[in-house]
Amino acid sequence: MNICVFCSSSNNLDDIYLDAAAALGRAIARHGHTLVFGGYDMGLMGASARAAVEAGGRVIGITTEGLSAKGRAVVAGIEEECTTDLSARKKRMVELSDAFVTLPGGLGTFDEFFSVISRVKAGELNAPSALLDVDGFFKPLAALLDDAYARGLNSSNWRAACEIFDDAEALVAWIENAR
């Protein structure tokens, strides 16, 4: 199975986030799945991909012409596909993937998460989606989305399309059972 990982590309991160990303990469590889990610050797993206490669896993990195032109390095040992821009990259990552995991991140990560979860909710994607909640990072987001549902602002409960985990092994096992 191809499991897409959305996460931060920032290099200015506490080790707790890097360790969680590496644990996810190792878990995906140990279970015999392919990790699909944004291609570059930075932040949580790089940590998860390097760990998967080191554990003997297959990793597909989707890069962009613009970011590559800025000199961004890719993770050694991956299969790289280069797209024209961020929109094309996200589209390709979704096309390749059977399941989605979102780790902590910023604007790009939130864009990817909301895009996928909205498509699952709309019935355009039939794919397990999960948040890997590192150090309570997603608690405020979950509270906001729960509140939007409780107020009737969202027509269905977002939790029907997404699970939250704090353990990478449990998350990967859930994905396997959800497929």
Side-chain angles (χ1 to χ4, degrees):
M1 172 179 351
N2 289 352
I3 301 174
C4 183
V5 176
F6 299 131
C7 56
S8 175
S9 63
S10 172
N11 282 324
N12 186 25
L13 299 171
D14 190 284
D15 284 345
I16 192 169
Y17 299 107
L18 296 167
D19 293 344
L24 179 63
R26 283 190 298 275
I28 290 170
R30 266 197 308 271
H31 286 258
H33 305 301
T34 298
L35 188 150
V36 177
F37 81 116
Y40 297 105
D41 193 7
M42 301 173 67
L44 302 185
M45 288 194 323
S48 62
R50 282 190 308 276
V53 168
E54 289 166 6
R58 180 177 180 221
V59 178
I60 301 171
I62 311 301
T63 59
T64 71
E65 292 171 1
L67 292 174
S68 294
K70 289 182 176 185
R72 302 248 172 113
V74 299
V75 173
I78 69 165
E79 299 169 32
E80 180 187 359
E81 279 188 38
C82 189
T83 59
T84 56
D85 57 33
L86 290 173
S87 293
R89 178 172 83 167
K90 180 172 59 175
K91 180 180 180 196
R92 184 65 180 139
M93 290 168 72
V94 170
E95 288 171 350
L96 288 171
S97 300
D98 304 301
F100 300 88
V101 178
T102 304
L103 283 87
L107 291 175
T109 303
F110 286 119
D111 170 61
E112 292 160 340
F113 167 74
F114 281 113
S115 176
V116 164
I117 204 75
S118 295
R119 291 184 64 194
V120 169
K121 180 183 170 239
E124 296 175 12
L125 277 176
N126 181 18
S129 184
L131 296 169
L132 184 56
D133 189 27
V134 181
D135 197 32
F137 179 82
F138 287 116
K139 287 189 184 340
L141 176 64
L144 175 68
L145 294 173
D146 288 342
D147 187 48
Y149 176 63
R151 292 173 186 246
L153 297 169
N154 200 6
S155 61
S156 63
N157 189 346
W158 71 279
R159 289 179 183 262
C162 184
E163 293 285 335
I164 302 174
F165 294 87
D166 60 8
D167 178 79
E169 282 289 336
L171 190 157
V172 172
W174 173 80
I175 287 174
E176 290 173 336
N177 291 325
R179 288 293 302 165

